[in-house]
Amino acid sequence: MQNRNFDFQDNVRKALGNKQLRSNLKFAMATMVEKRGELFKNSTQLEELREAGSRIRQRSLAKLPDLLEQLEEKCLENGITVHWATTASEANQAVLEILHQHKAQKIVKGKSMVSEEIHLNHFLEENGFSPLETDLGEFIIQLAKEPPSHIIVPAIHKNRAEIAKLFHHNLQGAPYTENVEELNAIARETLRKKFFEADVGISGANMAIAETGTLCLVENEGNGRMCTTLPPVHIALMGIEKVIEKLSDLPPLFELLTGSATGQRMTTYFNLISSPRKQGEKDGPKEIHLILIDNGRTKIHADPELRNTLKCIRCGTCLNHCPVYTRIGGHAYGYIYPGPIGKILTPQMEGLENTGGIPEASSLCNACETVCPVKIPIPNLIRRIRAEGQMTNGVVQGHGTKKNLMETSVWKGWTLVNNHPSMTTFGVKVAHHLGAAIPKTGPLKAWCTERTLPKFPKQTLQELVKKEGLDHE
Amino acid sequence: MSKNPRTLILEGLRRSTKEVAVPTNHCNHWKEKGWSKEKKIETLKAHLESARSEVILTSRRSKLQTLANLIERKKLQSLLYSSQVDLGKEILNHPNPGFSDILREYSGNEEVDRSLLFEVDASVTTAKGAIAENGAIILWPDKNEPRMMSLVPPVHIIMLDVEQIFESFGQAIQEGNWSPKMPTNAVLVSGPSRTADIELILAFGVHGPKEVIVVITK
C-alpha cells in the first residue's frame, strides 16, 4: 500500500532533529546490543549456530512449495483450517469473512508484523470492528495511533512520561503515574477482562512446522497464550516463507530468535499450537484458522539472490546494530519494516518508484550482516537493490526508475576524463583554480552542506612522480 | 479463468524451485553432552532463577511436605489441582490436614471454572519435562491439567522430577517422542510473565503468573 505522503529525506531530517527520540533510541539500542553480546559470548558456538540457522532457512526456501503443501495437509489433519492469500487485500478479506461467519464483535490481537504489513487493523476498523492490541508495546502505540517503530519493541521510541500521559488521557480511571510497575498494572487490568470477553483472537506465528502442522509463537507477556486459548476462534496470520521443515529444525532457530531479538536464553513462553480444542479438553479455541500470506513473497522468491531476503526470522537485531536506524528510528522509514531488513524488503514489496531512497540510507558498514542469525547477506542485497534502481531490465518492481539523465551523463563524463590522461591533467588544474567556487547547489548541495570541500591540488599525481620520482622504501 | 490463490502461490514457487539445490541438513543435530543429574539440576536451576523462577530441591519422599511448607510460606488460601493425575492423587491422599481445606478442582462447568481460575491463589501441575540448557519447563496441558491452569492464577507451582530433565531442546524433542503427533498445545515456560516494552525496564506478572515455583525431586 503506497504511503502517499512519504518523504524520506524529510522524515530523516525530522528524526535527526528530535532530541527526545534520539536519546530514547540511543539508550534502547545500546541496551539490546549489550544483552545480545552477553548471551552470545562464545563466538565459535555462535558461528556454528548461525550456520545451522542459515542452512535450515535455506532448506525451507528451497523446498517451499512442498513444505507449504505438507503444512496444509498436517494442519487439516489436526483440524486447523488453512486459507491462502496472494495479496494483502485477500488476506484481510479472509479475516473479515471469518469474523462475519461467527458474528464476532470483540477481537483481541497479539503482536504480528505481517498483520501490520497488510494493514489489518485499519481494514477491520473500516469494516466496523475495533481489534484490541494486547501486547503492551502494541497497546501503547494503538492508543497513540502510531505504527510500530521497531520489530520487537514497538513503543521503544516513547519514554515513560509520554506513556503515562497516554494512559491517563485514554484509559478511564487511570491515574497519572510514571512508575513502570504501575503502568504495567494499569495495562494488565484493562486487558484482563477483554481476553475473556473476546469472540476472536488474532495472532501471528514466528514459524510453522510442516512435519507436524504446528504453529509456533514466542512471547514474554502471556498475552499470546491468552489470545490463542480463550476466545472460541483463533486466527493466525503468517507469511508463506516462515514455514520450516521439521521439529528438529526448531531448537537452533528458537535459540537464535530469542537470543537475537531480546538477548534472552529463552522467552517466558514458547507456544506450540497444533490443533483446536479436542473432545474432553476444557479450554482452547474451538476453531483455528491459518492464513498463509504471499503479498509479494513469491516474486522475491523467484530471484535466487533476492530470495535470501526471505530467510529473515524477524528478530530485529539488524535494526539494533544499524548506525542509521539507531539515529532515525523506525517511523522515518515510512513503511512497516525499518532498518536493514526494511532496506531490502520494502523496495521489493512496495516498488522502487515509491521507496527507492530507502536502500540508499546505508553506509554498507556490514554490522547487520555480521549479526544476522541466519546470515542474510544484507549489504550485498542493498547493493543489488540499488542497482535494480538503475536497471532497465531488472526484476524488482520500479526497476530503472532511479536512473536519470544527469547522473548517467556525469558518470559518462567521469569515465571519459579518467580514461584520458591529458583530460585528467586538465581537469585537475581547472578544479584547483575553480574548485573552491563550485556552486553548492543542485546534486552537490547535499554533499557540501554536511562535508568540507576537499582541497584540489595544483599538480596531478603523475606530474608529481615525474618531478620527484618514486621512493620505493 | 482466474486461478485460486493456493494454485497461484504454489505454481509460482514451483517455477522458482525447479532447479534449486537443497542444502544438506546435517547441521542442526544436537550433541549429547553427557551431563550428570547434578549438572542438569544445577544448570536448569540457574537458568530458571535468572528468569525469576523460584526453584526448590527436595527428595521424592518429602515432596508433599515441601508443597505443604510452600503453601504455608506463601499463605495460600486456595490451590487449584487435578485429582486425575498421579500427583493429584498423592496430594489428595496425603494425611496433611492443610491440604484438604484449600484444594480446588475444575468442576466441568465452564462458568464456575472461569471464576475459579480468577479466584484461586495458586495452581499446582505436573510437567512433561524440562530442558536444562534453556532453563525451560515443558508443559503439555491436557483435559486433566488444562492450559489456563498455568496461565491465569497468580502463582504457578510445577512439580518436576530429575529423571524428566533433558540436556537440550533437541534431546527433548527426540527422546521425548514429540514427533509425529504433537498435542493440542505444548508450551515451554521459563518463569513469571514479563515485559520490557516501556523503556526496556523489566516488569513481572503481566498476563501470566506473577510467580513460578519449580519443585525438583530426586
Side-chain angles (χ1 to χ4, degrees):
Chain A
M1 181 172 123
Q2 193 190 342
N3 182 345
R4 283 177 211 289
N5 298 317
F6 180 51
D7 182 341
F8 192 36
Q9 302 268 13
D10 194 45
N11 287 358
V12 170
R13 234 187 317 269
K14 286 201 179 103
L16 289 175
N18 183 335
K19 282 207 177 83
Q20 186 61 67
L21 175 69
R22 291 193 66 169
S23 155
N24 293 354
L25 284 173
K26 187 172 178 186
F27 163 73
M29 298 306 117
T31 307
M32 296 185 80
V33 167
E34 193 186 320
K35 284 187 147 184
R36 176 190 172 278
E38 272 168 19
L39 184 69
F40 288 141
K41 271 206 195 76
N42 185 324
S43 59
T44 316
Q45 271 178 21
L46 175 60
E47 288 315 304
E48 274 174 23
L49 196 56
R50 290 178 72 221
E51 181 60 28
S54 171
R55 290 204 204 180
I56 292 168
R57 290 299 299 140
Q58 246 177 306
R59 178 167 29 93
S60 294
L61 294 174
K63 298 170 95 168
L64 196 55
D66 292 335
L67 295 182
L68 284 170
E69 279 192 316
Q70 188 187 9
L71 175 67
E72 181 188 49
E73 185 190 318
K74 291 291 168 190
C75 282
L76 292 175
E77 252 175 54
N78 295 343
I80 298 176
T81 310
V82 180
H83 310 255
W84 301 67
T86 49
T87 62
S89 169
E90 279 175 15
N92 286 327
Q93 282 298 333
V95 174
L96 189 64
E97 266 164 42
I98 299 166
L99 296 180
H100 282 153
Q101 234 172 53
H102 292 272
K103 299 192 177 34
Q105 292 186 320
K106 299 190 175 154
I107 304 164
V108 287
K109 203 172 155 282
K111 191 167 162 347
S112 159
M113 288 310 289
V114 77
S115 75
E116 302 277 353
E117 183 190 312
I118 64 175
H119 302 280
L120 178 67
N121 285 3
H122 179 74
F123 174 81
L124 290 180
E125 280 156 16
E126 276 182 339
N127 282 278
F129 292 95
S130 308
L132 178 64
E133 292 288 350
T134 62
D135 170 273
L136 181 59
E138 294 283 342
F139 177 68
I140 291 167
I141 59 173
Q142 187 172 48
L143 285 178
K145 296 189 177 30
E146 292 174 20
S149 66
H150 189 286
I151 289 175
I152 303 301
V153 278
I156 200 61
H157 58 293
K158 292 210 170 314
N159 61 31
R160 67 189 91 175
E162 290 165 326
I163 295 167
K165 255 194 225 115
L166 255 180
F167 281 13
H168 183 56
H169 285 143
N170 292 285
L171 301 174
Q172 207 175 34
Y176 182 89
T177 171
E178 291 183 16
N179 178 295
V180 172
E181 290 263 355
E182 287 172 24
L183 286 169
N184 280 315
I186 293 171
R188 182 174 63 240
E189 277 319 300
T190 309
L191 291 167
R192 207 145 169 81
K193 225 176 33 131
K194 311 279 187 183
F195 291 123
F196 279 89
E197 290 172 353
D199 303 308
V200 172
I202 300 179
S203 79
N206 296 93
M207 44 200 128
I209 307 168
E211 184 189 9
T212 53
T214 301
L215 309 176
C216 307
L217 208 58
V218 314
E219 59 155 336
N220 282 309
E221 292 177 27
N223 65 307
R225 289 183 70 192
M226 288 287 196
C227 288
T228 58
T229 305
L230 293 175
V233 178
H234 168 208
I235 303 175
L237 303 163
M238 192 182 83
I240 54 174
E241 84 281 25
K242 294 291 206 65
V243 64
I244 61 173
E245 189 173 1
K246 326 179 233 213
L247 269 173
S248 60
D249 289 337
L250 212 47
L253 286 182
F254 177 59
E255 194 175 338
L256 285 165
L257 176 60
T258 61
S260 305
T262 52
Q264 289 176 285
R265 185 174 306 276
M266 83 158 252
T267 43
T268 309
Y269 305 112
F270 184 37
N271 295 295
L272 296 109
I273 296 166
S274 303
S275 81
R277 188 193 298 207
K278 294 195 180 76
Q279 184 86 293
E281 286 176 353
K282 300 185 179 76
D283 51 28
K286 302 202 172 98
E287 265 183 52
I288 302 181
H289 296 262
L290 170 63
I291 303 184
L292 295 170
I293 301 174
D294 181 347
N295 201 28
R297 288 158 172 78
T298 313
K299 181 145 190 264
I300 298 173
H301 190 273
D303 181 288
E305 183 183 17
L306 295 173
R307 184 179 303 148
N308 286 300
T309 315
L310 300 177
K311 280 164 92 177
C312 182
I313 58 175
R314 304 286 192 267
C315 72
T317 208
C318 57
L319 277 64
N320 301 340
H321 291 80
C322 176
V324 175
Y325 177 90
T326 54
R327 281 161 183 76
I328 65 175
H331 289 160
Y333 291 82
Y335 291 83
I336 218 60
Y337 299 108
I341 186 63
K343 284 164 205 166
I344 57 178
L345 191 53
T346 303
Q348 293 188 75
M349 283 184 160
E350 305 286 343
L352 281 162
E353 67 275 30
N354 304 317
T355 61
I358 294 178
E360 288 171 8
S362 168
S363 61
L364 301 177
C365 71
N366 274 32
C368 52
E369 180 172 24
T370 316
V371 297
C372 176
V374 291
K375 294 176 130 176
I376 302 174
I378 301 177
N380 278 355
L381 293 175
I382 290 177
R383 272 186 281 259
R384 165 71 191 273
I385 303 240
R386 287 180 183 178
E388 288 272 335
Q390 303 288 328
M391 287 156 71
T392 38
N393 59 337
V395 303
V396 175
Q397 182 194 326
H399 58 85
T401 53
K402 294 286 289 176
K403 199 176 170 71
N404 72 64
L405 189 59
M406 168 138 80
E407 196 181 344
T408 314
S409 310
V410 167
W411 284 118
K412 278 214 167 84
W414 179 264
T415 315
L416 192 69
V417 168
N418 281 286
N419 277 333
H420 293 86
S422 52
M423 287 184 78
T424 315
T425 313
F426 181 69
V428 166
K429 298 218 188 293
V430 167
H432 174 68
H433 288 289
L434 301 176
I438 288 174
K440 296 182 177 61
T441 57
L444 289 176
K445 181 176 177 206
W447 181 276
C448 296
T449 47
E450 303 292 337
R451 293 169 177 78
T452 327
L453 214 54
K455 286 202 176 64
F456 297 101
K458 228 186 198 167
Q459 297 170 300
T460 64
L461 188 58
Q462 283 96 328
E463 287 174 322
L464 276 173
V465 167
K466 263 202 193 121
K467 190 163 138 199
E468 296 177 23
L470 273 175
D471 187 348
H472 291 280
E473 287 294 303
Chain B
M1 173 156 150
S2 70
K3 293 185 179 152
N4 68 45
R6 183 181 184 280
T7 309
L8 281 168
I9 292 169
L10 289 174
E11 272 180 10
L13 292 174
R14 291 243 138 78
R15 273 195 297 273
S16 325
T17 51
K18 236 195 313 201
E19 279 152 38
V20 176
V22 179
T24 47
N25 59 351
H26 49 263
C27 52
N28 47 323
H29 194 74
W30 55 275
K31 294 189 195 83
E32 171 109 25
K33 295 180 215 286
W35 283 355
S36 65
K37 287 190 188 153
E38 280 64 39
K39 174 80 180 160
K40 284 200 264 190
I41 291 178
E42 185 190 303
T43 311
L44 178 65
K45 181 173 187 290
H47 293 327
L48 283 171
E49 283 171 348
S50 73
R52 301 284 180 96
S53 292
E54 186 181 336
V55 181
I56 303 173
L57 304 178
T58 187
S59 69
R60 285 175 196 131
R61 201 187 329 208
S62 336
K63 75 177 183 214
L64 293 175
Q65 187 54 53
T66 305
L67 182 60
N69 295 343
L70 188 56
I71 290 167
E72 200 188 306
R73 175 159 52 95
K74 299 272 175 193
K75 298 187 176 32
L76 302 175
Q77 308 280 332
S78 51
L79 181 69
L80 181 60
Y81 87 123
S82 168
S83 62
Q84 304 303 305
V85 297
D86 288 342
L87 171 69
K89 293 187 175 76
E90 288 174 53
I91 293 174
L92 195 56
N93 296 325
H94 197 264
N96 185 320
F99 281 154
S100 50
D101 288 339
I102 65 166
L103 293 178
R104 303 278 185 275
E105 255 202 295
Y106 273 79
S107 64
N109 177 309
E110 258 195 72
E111 292 245 357
V112 171
D113 292 339
R114 180 160 296 188
S115 309
L116 180 63
L117 276 165
F118 269 111
E119 285 161 8
V120 287
D121 289 345
S123 64
V124 60
T125 68
T126 57
K128 162 98 171 148
I131 304 168
E133 192 178 47
N134 296 62
I137 306 295
I138 307 167
L139 300 176
W140 278 28
D142 58 16
K143 59 183 201 272
N144 293 324
E145 292 182 323
R147 286 150 92 159
M148 297 211 259
M149 266 182 94
S150 60
L151 185 59
V152 180
V155 177
H156 178 210
I157 304 166
I158 305 171
M159 302 291 264
L160 177 79
D161 189 84
V162 65
E163 298 296 332
Q164 295 180 282
I165 305 176
F166 295 100
E167 290 174 347
S168 65
F169 195 179
Q171 187 182 47
I173 289 174
Q174 188 162 326
E175 294 182 8
N177 295 318
W178 286 33
S179 182
K181 205 70 178 136
M182 286 291 283
T184 306
N185 174 240
V187 56
L188 301 189
V189 180
S190 63
S193 68
R194 52 159 68 189
T195 181
D197 271 327
I198 299 179
E199 288 190 18
L200 294 184
I201 292 170
L202 206 48
F204 291 90
V206 197
H207 300 295
K210 255 194 169 130
E211 283 184 60
V212 171
I213 305 159
V214 183
V215 177
I216 306 179
T217 57
K218 70 177 251 188

